[in-house]
């Protein structure tokens, strides 16, 4: 048995394994699927010519998170960074457009430009302080209080019922709302505003990059580094109980709390087990992938230059659609998150053809195919879209859980993103990655900082395990330390 066993080869499990291996420990990583990657896996879904990102597609955190900065991911794989980070089309050929340049975005928003600058510029100027605050346990005292305060004020501005007070145009309101709708939940909300504003500020700093060769390239870069430092990866290897890995000095689990409880087989103290049972899972996504014979025929020309688009109409329409999901209903006019990677990465398919990545929000556990509703929403802002669709592939919410057990009911955040679970993720603790079982740590996105391809949950858990179990510091992670 190696010094360390990691269960789950998603981004966080891979990050944890890399940290432990670079510390000089023997590491074995088990993945139940045939391939690694989890939330950053790319697949040939419909034919052998077109590559689709199965879960995440656009990765601002791949350039911004402290883990990936230290790991120097941008020197290991290629990224295409669109000049238009994201855009939000509206009826009548209008759109709000978030350029990489904050000033260009401000100019495009007209009368709301200055209001947008006043909201975002204080955040972009304090990017690292805000990330240090949001990518760790919120129960810790922030190292840069001013950055945390500025961020908190912005969250209050856009996360409360008075969220319309700042902006007067549909374009500005919709532009900000589309990002805040990434987590499935109520709008307006403090948690939605918090997640959205982090992503929004990154649109004007590192941008919203698309990995060349698919999101799988992120997982493959981590796996390569792990193997170069002596780590072992075993695929098609399902670990069902903690007893199977009990001889390791440290066990790091990239699994949901529900799976951890099943693996523990009664070894958890009653109070901790009750806290895990109180952990709730959010609503879900239905994912629809497309192969196209040409680019999406957007009415607004700047949408063609956007890596990401948020569809659903005005701020009020999106809030109404999210309310329907919360009520257990499937919206007729859903919020759609869309990425067009082949416009920036030619490796995704043959010349002249395109791949399109989309999902919409649905109730947890849904088995409904939302392809028609998604197609209609795209057609609304890109007349003629149906004519360029060659093929589509739907993954329902229930199928998402079949693909990845961490996505309980199709909840791709591995736990509802709400105020209680910002503080208690999965339990209230200054060190929520630790468990009551000696040597066992959780490192999934069910722990802080929550959802996203950032590697920080893996780094946080590995840091704690290194200190507690081995008395070792976090090793250097950059390319200069490669053997």
């Amino acid at each position: 048995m190696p010094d360390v066993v990691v269960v789950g080869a998603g981004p966080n499990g891979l990050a944890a394994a890399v940290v432990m291996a670079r510390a000089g420990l023997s590491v074995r990583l088990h993945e139940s699927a045939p391939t690694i990657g989890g939330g950053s896996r790319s697949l040939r879904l419909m034919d052998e010519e077109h590559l689709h990102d199965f879960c995440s597609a656009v990765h601002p955190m791949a350039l911004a998170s402290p883990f990936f900065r230290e790991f120097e991911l941008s020197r290991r794989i290629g990224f295409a960074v669109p000049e238009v980070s994201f855009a939000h089309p509206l009826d009548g050929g209008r759109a709000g457009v978030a350029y990489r340049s904050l000033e260009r975005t401000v100019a495009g928003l007209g009368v709301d430009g200055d209001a947008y600058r006043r909201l975002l510029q204080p955040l972009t100027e304090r990017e690292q302080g805000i990330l240090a605050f949001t990518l760790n346990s919120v129960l810790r005292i922030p190292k840069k209080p001013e950055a945390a305060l500025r961020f908190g004020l912005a969250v209050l501005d856009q996360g409360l019922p008075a969220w319309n007070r700042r902006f007067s145009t549909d374009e500005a309101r919709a532009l900000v709302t589309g990002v805040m709708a990434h987590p499935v939940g109520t709008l307006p909300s403090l948690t939605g505003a918090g997640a959205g504003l982090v992503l929004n500020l990154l649109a004007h700093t590192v941008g919203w990059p698309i990995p060349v060769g698919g999101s799988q390239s992120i997982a493959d870069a981590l796996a390569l580094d792990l193997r170069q430092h002596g780590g072992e990866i075993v695929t098609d290897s399902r670990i069902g109980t903690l007893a199977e890995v009990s001889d390791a000095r440290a066990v790091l689990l990239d699994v949901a709390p529900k799976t951890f409880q099943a693996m523990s087989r009664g070894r958890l103290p009653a109070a901790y087990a009750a806290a895990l049972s109180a952990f709730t899972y959010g609503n879900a996504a239905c994912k629809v992938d497309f192969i196209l014979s040409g680019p999406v025929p957007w009415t607004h020309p700047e949408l063609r230059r956007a890596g990401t688009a948020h569809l659903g109409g005005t701020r009020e329409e999106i809030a109404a659609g999210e309310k329907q999901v919360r009520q257990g209903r499937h919206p007729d006019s859903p919020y759609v998150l869309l990425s067009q990677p082949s416009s920036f990465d030619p490796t995704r398919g043959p010349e002249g053809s395109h791949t399109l990545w989309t999902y919409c929000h649905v109730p947890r556990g849904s088995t409904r195919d939302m392809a028609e509703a998604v197609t209609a929403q795209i057609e609304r802002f890109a007349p003629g879209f149906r004519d360029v669709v060659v093929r589509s592939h739907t993954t329902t919410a229930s199928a998402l859980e079949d693909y990845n057990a961490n996505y309980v009911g199709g909840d791709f955040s591995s736990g509802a993103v709400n105020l209680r679970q910002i503080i208690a993720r999965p339990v209230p603790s200054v060190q929520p990655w630790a468990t009551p079982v000696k040597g066992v740590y959780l490192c999934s996105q069910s722990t802080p900082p929550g959802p996203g391809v950032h590697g920080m949950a893996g780094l946080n858990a590995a840091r704690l395990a290194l200190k507690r179990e081995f008395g070792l510091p976090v090793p250097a992670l950059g390319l200069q330390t490669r053997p």
Side-chain angles (χ1 to χ4, degrees), residues 229-264:
H229 288 85
E232 176 188 6
I233 299 176
V234 186
T235 55
D236 281 316
S237 178
R238 183 177 297 277
I239 302 298
T241 68
L242 292 180
E244 297 174 54
V245 293
S246 60
D247 289 339
R249 292 176 63 186
V251 177
L252 290 91
L253 304 174
D254 185 1
V255 304
K258 178 181 177 181
T259 303
F260 176 46
Q261 285 182 287
M263 294 176 69
S264 66

Side-chain angles (χ1 to χ4, degrees), residues 7 239-243 245 251-269 272-273 275-277 281 405-406 408 426-427 432-444 446-447:
V7 178
I239 302 298
T241 68
L242 292 180
V245 293
V251 177
L252 290 91
L253 304 174
D254 185 1
V255 304
K258 178 181 177 181
T259 303
F260 176 46
Q261 285 182 287
M263 294 176 69
S264 66
R265 301 289 177 90
R267 292 178 59 184
L268 300 178
Y272 185 83
L276 287 188
S277 296
Y281 297 91
N406 285 359
V408 177
V427 299
W433 310 277
T435 79
V437 181
K438 169 64 177 172
V440 177
Y441 300 82
L442 286 174
C443 66
S444 71
S446 299
T447 67

Side-chain angles (χ1 to χ4, degrees), residues 193-473:
L197 286 168
V198 169
L199 292 173
N200 207 154
L201 78 88
L202 293 176
H204 303 302
T205 56
V206 298
W208 280 21
I210 294 170
V212 175
S215 296
Q216 184 72 46
S217 61
I218 298 175
D220 291 346
L222 290 163
L224 175 61
D225 191 86
L226 172 60
R227 291 186 174 111
Q228 288 176 331
H229 288 85
E232 176 188 6
I233 299 176
V234 186
T235 55
D236 281 316
S237 178
R238 183 177 297 277
I239 302 298
T241 68
L242 292 180
E244 297 174 54
V245 293
S246 60
D247 289 339
R249 292 176 63 186
V251 177
L252 290 91
L253 304 174
D254 185 1
V255 304
K258 178 181 177 181
T259 303
F260 176 46
Q261 285 182 287
M263 294 176 69
S264 66
R265 301 289 177 90
R267 292 178 59 184
L268 300 178
Y272 185 83
L276 287 188
S277 296
F279 186 78
T280 60
Y281 297 91
N283 283 310
C286 176
K287 184 168 181 288
V288 186
D289 290 281
F290 295 90
I291 295 174
L292 308 178
S293 60
V296 179
W298 299 107
T299 300
H300 195 289
E302 290 299 85
L303 266 293
R304 302 168 193 173
R305 304 170 58 212
T308 302
H310 304 126
L311 281 59
T314 64
R315 166 173 276 188
E316 290 73 23
E317 287 181 85
I318 292 174
E322 294 298 277
K323 182 178 180 179
Q324 288 180 305
V325 173
R326 189 175 73 254
Q327 294 170 338
R329 299 158 59 193
H330 293 79
D332 294 325
S333 180
Y335 165 79
V336 175
L337 180 59
L338 177 152
S339 173
Q340 35 195 16
S342 56
S343 295
F344 307 92
D345 175 11
T347 70
R348 304 302 180 99
E351 185 177 357
S353 68
H354 285 268
T355 60
L356 191 69
W357 177 105
T358 75
Y359 75 67
C360 69
H361 294 165
V362 294
R364 182 169 61 253
S366 168
T367 59
R368 182 177 297 188
D369 183 340
M370 295 291 287
E372 174 53 33
V374 169
T375 300
Q377 195 69 285
I378 302 172
E379 181 84 16
R380 173 183 173 184
F381 305 107
F385 171 70
R386 294 179 188 275
D387 297 334
V388 299
V389 174
V390 175
R391 197 176 306 167
S392 67
H393 178 280
T394 299
T395 307
T396 65
S398 61
L400 273 179
E401 182 174 8
D402 294 337
Y403 160 79
N404 188 333
N406 285 359
Y407 299 161
V408 177
D411 172 12
F412 55 87
S413 296
S414 302
V417 182
N418 53 40
L419 276 180
R420 188 180 78 81
Q421 291 188 178
I422 293 296
I423 298 171
R425 193 167 184 92
V427 299
S429 172
V430 176
Q431 297 177 327
W433 310 277
T435 79
V437 181
K438 169 64 177 172
V440 177
Y441 300 82
L442 286 174
C443 66
S444 71
Q445 61 179 4
S446 299
T447 67
V453 179
H454 42 59
M456 289 301 296
L459 172 62
N460 291 334
R463 177 188 289 119
L464 193 57
L466 284 173
K467 180 180 178 181
R468 285 188 172 186
E469 310 302 330
F470 302 98
L472 294 173

Side-chain angles (χ1 to χ4, degrees), residues 161-180:
W163 65 338
N164 280 330
R165 182 175 52 188
R166 175 175 292 271
F167 300 118
S168 60
T169 65
D170 285 340
E171 287 86 346
R173 290 173 176 172
L175 187 67
V176 175
T177 306
V179 196
M180 295 194 299

